[in-house]
Amino acid sequence: MGLSRMFLQVMCVSVLVSGMAAAAVAFPIAKRPHCQDQCGDVKIPYPFGITEDCYLNKYFRINCGNDSSGRPQPVVGKNLVVTNISIDGELDILMYISRQCYENSSGVLGYNNNPSLRVPAFTISNTKNKFVAVGCDTYAYLNAYRNNERFSIGCMSICRSPKNVINGSCSGIGCCQVDIPKGLKNFTLDARSYNNHTRVSKFNPCSFAFVAKQDSFKFSSVYLRNMPNRRTPMVLDWAINGKETCENSKNVCGRNSHCYHPENGDGYRCRCNKGYEGNPYLVEYGCQDINECDSIPKPCVTTATCNNIDGNFTCTCLDGYEGDGKIINGTGCRPKASAGRSSIHIIIPLAISIGILVLFMGGSSIYCGLKRRKLIKLKEKFFQQNGGLLLQQKLLNYRASMEVVKIFSAEELEKATNNYDESRMLGQGGYGTVYQGVLPENKVVAIKKSKVCDQSQIEQFINEVIVLTQINHRNVVKMLGCCLETEVPLLVYEFITNGTLSNHIHDKSISSSFSWEKRLKIATETAGALAYLHSSTFVPIIHRDVKPANILLDDNYSAKVADFGTSILVPLDQTEVATLVKGTFGYLDPEYFYSNRLTEKSDVYSFGVVVAELLTGMKAVSFDRPEMDRSLAMYFNSAIDDDRLHQILDYQIVSGDNINAIKEVANLTKRCLSVRGEDRPTMKELAMELEGLRIMEKHPWAKADLYTEENEYLLSEPIHSLSIGVDVDYSFSSSTTFGFDSMRNQLVVN
Ligand SMILES: *[C@@H]1O[C@H](CO)[C@@H](O)[C@H](O)[C@H]1NC(C)=O
Ligand SMILES: *[C@@H]1O[C@H](CO)[C@@H](O)[C@H](O)[C@H]1NC(C)=O
Ligand SMILES: *[C@@H]1O[C@H](CO)[C@@H](O)[C@H](O)[C@H]1NC(C)=O
């Protein structure tokens, strides 16, 4: 066990490292070879540097010392911890909070500080920060300089009772926040109070003021007592400082780069020209050509060859294809209409002479007719190439009617998507592009256009289409039909309105309202859908790509599992595995590394990672965590093993009421993340356990020992019908939670 875990970590780390090498910087970022270009996890690009011959001037000096736990930590200025340096001119730091604290209701000042930052090369980012004050007897200043003149902004916050404040709201009651104007530098933070907190000292002894990175701060009434940290993350804009401008400083930026003036603050910056990458501040080295042909995703379609040229690239379509070969903003390559070149050569002169004739007769309809015939021929060709005949035949065999799989025409879908207009694009993945389409009668659909289609995969694709259309589960995105008349097949799905689960977990602006109740509902429904796929359909379906990006949500936070079976569309040969591993790395079953097979238990593992994300709000793979903990699965397991669950939970979901349920889900998750597939529970087991926990959550009184007669009566009914409902759910119907919800509504009314 220990050995296999070690093996796994070695595997994972090596995959991560090689994955990184492909994507990450291959160019030097420090000034000279001997210059240290990293401190802890933070990369240090020139003009920043650690030793004297490595930084541009003293403002860019980084001190790489140890933090209290002995890890290396970059510090700028006197004592400001740096968390990220971007070559585009941003600097993430931790800035101190200004506090003014009083001893008790007598109004005796106990503590006061006015942290400041005076580095002329740094301007407070006006787009990424807010100035915030917290307190119930509070006003605060941000005193700064703009264009070398004093400049202050301020904000006030009061309240009479902690009951009056609203968690998450910063609008003058206990918390206020204001925007930061452009161009502020050399600033000092100053928190003050009107009445020395004499009236509010019971619950709010201090005033606080700080600059906080947008969305990093969420006000909570508990902060009135004390702010949990001494520092908050904030963002600075940096530029080569002083009176220098691009015009009066020659040769400041390296080769293949240019000089520009930042929008916020003075000084100048350098940026690589388009098509080049590197550190533009390194004068001798400059920026290097990007080899676009090696980038992922590839810039040219598979039927074109890519040719890297200095600062750019070209695509050349293979013989028999025409177009510019580009995927982005390009036409790709279409097969040349081979339908009888020679006949066209004869027809065209003929058409011209006839055309002159018919012009007099008032019609160019013959020409159009010819064109249309050519188009129809092409469509027929694609239809056959895409397995249309096979599909028709299969449908006959299954005695399915055309109602089951609607075959859309190319025109219908072109019209629905406004000719695949970019504005209709919903998303782009490794397998293709998804567009929003509007069918007649204003029915909104999602249309997936796959990128590649290997001829040998056609039969599987057709099977897939049939299997997909057999699925009828309320937590699986429904496929409505397909279109085979185009070069690549198009699939049409129902349109799901509320985005992906991934957005809801990781988008900071919405994750705070993403409650435990919703998360548990989504986990339960996803488990139900996967269990259904595994056990109930006439051919068991392994999803193979379970991840939050593939779980869509509707307006009621119902989960809709999407994108299964794409793995059949795209065969898992060597290169495909590479992309799979790239896109889905954190979710991939560790057993896959030696068996090269994905099973039902692989879906269970991926599902475990999804639930771990729901519990922690963390990403499946994150380079912010220490190396051994980059994969959430391992991080999660080791936290549970060490009994540290509370440290990694997303605090936004935890309340006294749900902690037991959370613990149970965490234990289930750990079982899903077992290294050996056979140690993992089945999807069906998971679905049942989660459903059970949901009942407890919805009806906490179900746990109570005593109920009134009335309650008892109400209780016995639903629990009974529910356990049946759960089973029914696996075998097609989707009534489970419906019955239950309506029951609940009644209860509430009563
Ligand atoms: C930082 O810690 C490392 C080992 O943890 C030690 O070797 C080094 O001397 C320390 N550096 C400073 C400046 O304390
Ligand atoms: C650092 O900043 C860069 C550029 O803004 C960003 O891409 C990267 O994710 C950041 N890294 C961390 C650890 O925040
Ligand atoms: C705000 O949230 C905290 C815990 O996150 C809670 O203790 C406090 O009672 C809440 N305050 C209000 C006013 O809702």
Side-chain angles (χ1 to χ4, degrees):
M1 177 69 201
L3 209 69
S4 68
R5 186 175 156 154
M6 209 169 88
F7 166 72
L8 223 110
Q9 288 185 338
V10 170
M11 282 299 299
C12 296
V13 168
S14 63
V15 170
L16 274 174
V17 166
S18 58
M20 240 169 72
V25 277
F27 45 81
I29 57 170
K31 188 173 185 189
R32 299 200 168 84
H34 73 264
C35 293
Q36 190 179 333
D37 64 359
Q38 188 152 358
C39 175
D41 291 337
V42 181
K43 294 244 184 309
I44 316 245
Y46 183 76
F48 292 88
I50 292 169
T51 49
E52 195 170 348
D53 52 345
C54 294
Y55 51 78
L56 174 70
N57 59 42
K58 63 180 180 194
Y59 304 129
F60 295 99
R61 171 165 179 230
I62 299 282
N63 189 355
C64 187
N66 289 342
D67 68 5
S68 54
S69 59
R71 286 196 207 182
Q73 185 179 52
V75 163
V76 72
K78 254 184 256 148
N79 50 9
L80 292 173
V81 172
V82 173
T83 54
N84 196 7
I85 303 176
S86 126
I87 200 82
D88 304 323
E90 277 183 1
L91 183 65
D92 289 14
I93 60 161
L94 299 178
M95 178 69 198
Y96 286 92
I97 296 175
S98 166
R99 332 176 153 228
Q100 192 189 46
C101 295
Y102 290 84
E103 304 254 294
N104 47 41
S105 58
S106 65
V108 175
L109 183 65
Y111 178 85
N112 189 21
N113 71 336
N114 297 110
S116 63
L117 172 66
R118 296 171 191 282
V119 182
F122 303 154
T123 309
I124 309 177
S125 167
N126 61 312
T127 53
K128 302 223 166 148
N129 301 299
K130 298 271 188 207
F131 177 54
V132 183
V134 169
C136 282
D137 178 18
T138 300
Y139 63 101
Y141 294 114
L142 188 156
N143 295 316
Y145 284 83
R146 185 159 89 161
N147 301 329
N148 293 320
E149 285 175 17
R150 285 177 160 278
F151 190 104
S152 293
I153 62 174
C155 175
M156 79 170 272
S157 160
I158 49 171
C159 73
R160 304 233 165 217
S161 149
K163 275 183 287 182
N164 299 351
V165 309
I166 304 159
N167 278 349
S169 158
C170 202
S171 53
I173 317 167
C175 173
C176 63
Q177 71 176 28
V178 291
D179 289 345
I180 306 250
K182 275 187 185 175
L184 300 191
K185 48 175 68 181
N186 296 349
F187 65 94
T188 306
L189 298 169
D190 191 2
R192 305 215 177 171
S193 73
Y194 292 104
N195 295 307
N196 300 352
H197 286 258
T198 45
R199 290 177 205 161
V200 294
S201 64
K202 276 216 182 65
F203 60 92
N204 174 229
C206 303
S207 288
F208 305 97
F210 49 93
V211 177
K213 183 170 178 173
Q214 215 138 350
D215 304 325
S216 75
F217 175 72
K218 288 240 163 54
F219 175 64
S220 160
S221 63
V222 299
Y223 297 161
L224 293 175
R225 189 145 291 286
N226 197 6
M227 288 290 295
N229 297 314
R230 286 161 61 219
R231 300 180 291 206
T232 49
M234 76 171 279
V235 184
L236 298 169
D237 285 331
W238 62 265
I240 309 288
N241 56 293
K243 312 276 169 287
E244 308 281 321
T245 63
C246 291
E247 292 71 33
N248 69 15
S249 10
K250 290 272 171 273
N251 291 332
V252 283
C253 299
R255 279 195 309 139
N256 302 321
S257 75
H258 57 274
C259 180
Y260 71 102
H261 295 123
E263 283 187 16
N264 180 29
D266 48 18
Y268 67 84
R269 288 199 196 134
C270 302
R271 183 186 285 152
C272 289
N273 296 339
K274 193 164 173 289
Y276 296 86
E277 64 185 351
N279 184 343
Y281 296 93
L282 296 176
V283 176
E284 303 102 83
Y285 203 80
C287 300
Q288 312 297 309
D289 175 45
I290 298 174
N291 187 347
E292 289 88 353
C293 296
D294 281 350
S295 66
I296 298 170
K298 299 260 180 238
C300 304
V301 295
T302 49
T303 44
T305 52
C306 183
N307 184 19
N308 183 45
I309 56 180
D310 200 28
N312 212 336
F313 68 97
T314 58
C315 305
T316 315
C317 290
L318 301 179
D319 275 354
Y321 290 86
E322 61 192 358
D324 69 6
K326 289 186 183 166
I327 292 178
I328 295 164
N329 291 336
T331 62
C333 296
R334 278 181 236 93
K336 279 186 187 149
S338 55
R341 270 178 168 260
S342 52
S343 68
I344 288 174
H345 280 300
I346 304 168
I347 287 168
I348 286 178
L350 206 74
I352 289 171
S353 40
I354 295 173
I356 292 166
L357 255 175
V358 294
L359 260 182
F360 289 102
M361 300 173 185
S364 55
S365 58
I366 290 185
Y367 174 69
C368 293
L370 277 175
K371 231 180 140 174
R372 197 162 64 227
R373 237 183 62 200
K374 214 169 93 187
L375 205 66
I376 289 171
K377 264 208 174 131
L378 196 65
K379 279 186 191 166
E380 272 172 10
K381 190 178 136 213
F382 286 142
F383 185 76
Q384 280 172 25
Q385 182 180 309
N386 286 331
L389 295 180
L390 194 66
L391 177 63
Q392 279 173 336
Q393 194 189 344
K394 281 267 162 83
L395 284 174
L396 278 180
N397 290 349
Y398 282 103
R399 297 209 173 76
S401 69
M402 278 315 214
E403 275 162 42
V404 178
V405 192
K406 179 162 168 34
I407 298 195
F408 290 89
S409 74
E411 283 108 14
E412 262 176 293
L413 297 187
E414 259 166 37
K415 213 168 134 203
T417 56
N418 196 8
N419 217 353
Y420 301 103
D421 194 76
E422 251 179 62
S423 63
R424 295 295 187 83
M425 209 144 95
L426 292 173
Q428 210 165 12
Y431 303 122
T433 314
V434 183
Y435 296 88
Q436 181 177 29
V438 184
L439 298 178
E441 293 166 29
N442 290 332
K443 189 175 162 68
V444 182
V445 293
I447 298 172
K448 185 197 258 172
K449 196 175 182 184
S450 65
K451 250 183 217 156
V452 246
C453 190
D454 180 344
Q455 278 301 305
S456 66
Q457 297 302 314
I458 288 297
E459 184 159 359
Q460 269 174 306
F461 167 66
I462 294 305
N463 281 333
E464 187 67 15
V465 170
I466 289 174
V467 168
L468 277 173
T469 49
Q470 304 289 317
I471 295 175
N472 185 8
H473 188 282
R474 70 191 195 112
N475 298 117
V476 171
V477 170
K478 195 158 173 48
M479 186 173 107
L480 303 174
C482 61
C483 170
L484 304 169
E485 293 175 355
T486 43
E487 186 189 359
V488 291
L490 299 164
L491 299 181
V492 181
Y493 297 90
E494 66 174 321
F495 181 68
I496 309 294
T497 43
N498 205 0
T500 69
L501 177 57
S502 182
N503 302 17
H504 287 262
I505 302 177
H506 299 300
D507 183 337
K508 291 269 168 2
S509 59
I510 49 181
S511 66
S512 59
S513 59
F514 193 32
S515 66
W516 167 246
E517 203 182 26
K518 289 175 189 159
R519 294 183 197 211
L520 182 59
K521 172 178 155 97
I522 291 161
T524 308
E525 291 180 344
T526 305
L530 291 174
Y532 167 86
L533 293 173
H534 287 178
S535 56
S536 302
T537 41
F538 66 103
V539 186
I541 302 171
I542 302 169
H543 187 294
R544 303 189 206 201
D545 199 10
V546 177
K547 56 182 177 184
N550 284 343
I551 299 171
L552 306 178
L553 300 180
D554 73 6
D555 288 336
N556 298 323
Y557 288 89
S558 275
K560 301 272 185 182
V561 178
D563 246 359
F564 37 85
T566 28
S567 42
I568 293 183
L569 237 186
V570 181
L572 292 179
D573 65 20
Q574 275 332 93
T575 52
E576 253 50 88
V577 169
T579 43
L580 179 81
V581 169
K582 187 172 180 298
T584 317
F585 176 70
Y587 303 91
L588 191 63
D589 181 358
E591 282 199 322
Y592 178 78
F593 287 114
Y594 38 94
S595 71
N596 270 331
R597 270 185 64 232
L598 291 172
T599 64
E600 277 104 330
K601 291 295 179 76
S602 310
D603 280 356
V604 174
Y605 182 88
S606 312
F607 176 76
V609 181
V610 173
V611 181
E613 277 184 80
L614 281 168
L615 286 168
T616 61
M618 296 178 192
K619 295 225 160 112
V621 176
S622 169
F623 291 94
D624 294 348
R625 295 191 288 265
E627 200 159 318
M628 283 314 236
D629 293 334
R630 279 187 183 152
S631 128
L632 178 58
M634 281 179 209
Y635 187 49
F636 188 89
N637 277 350
S638 66
I640 302 249
D641 286 342
D642 305 346
D643 206 12
R644 290 188 286 112
L645 176 64
H646 58 283
Q647 282 180 10
I648 59 167
L649 283 179
D650 186 348
Y651 71 92
Q652 300 181 107
I653 60 170
V654 186
S655 73
D657 294 340
N658 63 20
I659 188 69
N660 286 331
I662 290 180
K663 278 186 188 152
E664 293 210 26
V665 174
N667 287 332
L668 272 182
T669 309
K670 179 167 189 276
R671 285 174 60 206
C672 296
L673 297 176
S674 302
V675 172
R676 279 154 35 113
E678 58 207 81
D679 297 338
R680 298 173 205 150
T682 63
M683 223 55 235
K684 187 163 171 164
E685 250 176 85
L686 282 166
M688 290 218 218
E689 299 247 359
L690 289 169
E691 187 68 55
L693 284 169
R694 265 194 89 201
I695 302 169
M696 294 296 225
E697 289 253 299
K698 280 184 166 179
H699 305 276
W701 37 263
K703 285 182 284 193
D705 295 336
L706 298 166
Y707 357 85
T708 63
E709 270 176 22
E710 188 190 6
N711 276 347
E712 213 159 4
Y713 167 69
L714 285 168
L715 195 68
S716 60
E717 276 281 314
I719 295 265
H720 177 67
S721 72
L722 190 97
S723 57
I724 294 173
V726 169
D727 273 332
V728 171
D729 202 14
Y730 302 140
S731 47
F732 275 61
S733 151
S734 51
S735 61
T736 334
T737 30
F738 265 138
F740 209 73
D741 274 327
S742 55
M743 221 284 297
R744 183 171 68 142
N745 291 341
Q746 277 173 18
L747 275 181
V748 172
V749 172
N750 291 344

